Amino acid sequence: MIFTPTRIAGAWLVDPEPLPDARGFFARTVCVAAFAEHGLDAHFVQQSVSRNTRAGILRGMHFQTGAHAEDKLVRVTTGAVYDVILDLRRASATYLQWQAVELSADNQRAIYIPKGVAHGFQTRTALSEVFYQMTMPFAPGSSAGVRWDDPAIGIDWPDCADRMVSAKDLALPLLAGLGEH
């Protein structure tokens, strides 16, 4: 695996190193020892999938708080998404900075998202599936988020005439109303 730091402190891109042969290829996507060499927790206790049925679906920006804060490894197994992370850790040197990356079944890239960093994505294909591995189980009472279109953050989302955002995500607070997390 190839680990590339992002501009968000503690977040990494993780690319497989395929071993090709006449049948296709084989590649590791997680190795506890390799992740530990980069200071990353790869003890994933829960896995989830988000299946999206059209281009322009936007989900985010989500994170878990308190004792349920989680590290996540996110990859796309079908289709492609414009994936965004946002640093909400007040003590971080990259506080309030965001970064976007394309994750797709074709590029096989994953992104490691540390605790305190919000995550969201916009689908780029008619069908996409996003696979999450988390170091903590989901706890509904600790689920939080911030508006995807908060002008104080200024995430540059791809243009989309027919964007679909859930009522729950539209009701997320702006950064100014987020309070302590």
Side-chain angles (χ1 to χ4, degrees):
M1 290 172 289
I2 301 167
F3 291 83
T4 307
T6 69
R7 72 171 177 247
I8 304 300
W12 293 76
L13 297 175
V14 182
D15 291 291
E17 291 185 283
L19 301 170
D21 66 19
R23 302 165 293 174
F25 72 84
F26 178 85
R28 289 184 309 158
T29 57
V30 174
C31 173
V32 171
F35 274 65
E37 288 174 12
H38 293 86
L40 307 178
D41 183 1
H43 293 93
F44 302 114
V45 300
Q46 185 171 316
Q47 299 178 356
S48 299
V49 65
S50 169
R51 188 168 178 92
N52 305 279
T53 56
R54 70 175 187 83
I57 292 173
L58 192 143
R59 297 180 187 254
M61 300 294 296
H62 307 137
F63 60 99
Q64 285 201 150
T65 61
H68 298 284
E70 63 192 357
D71 298 317
K72 291 187 257 202
L73 183 66
V74 176
R75 79 176 56 255
V76 169
T77 56
T78 302
V81 304
Y82 181 83
D83 202 83
V84 178
I85 57 175
L86 166 66
D87 193 346
L88 294 174
R89 302 166 295 177
R90 294 182 195 276
S92 172
T94 56
Y95 177 58
L96 297 184
Q97 293 181 32
W98 62 271
Q99 181 167 349
V101 62
E102 178 152 321
L103 301 180
S104 71
D106 288 340
N107 71 22
Q108 301 168 30
R109 173 169 274 179
I111 189 162
Y112 187 93
I113 306 165
K115 295 171 183 70
V117 174
H119 173 253
F121 63 84
Q122 181 175 303
T123 60
R124 298 183 67 93
T125 55
L127 178 64
S128 62
E129 200 167 84
V130 180
F131 180 63
Y132 297 81
Q133 295 173 273
M134 288 84 61
T135 58
M136 292 293 291
F138 178 71
S142 296
S143 180
V146 63
R147 281 284 298 236
W148 64 276
D149 60 348
D150 187 334
I153 299 166
I155 296 172
D156 186 18
W157 295 97
D159 288 335
C160 183
D162 194 22
R163 182 175 287 130
M164 178 186 283
V165 182
S166 73
K168 181 180 176 182
D169 285 353
L170 289 172
L172 289 172
L174 296 173
L175 184 64
L178 189 59
E180 287 298 316
H181 47 275

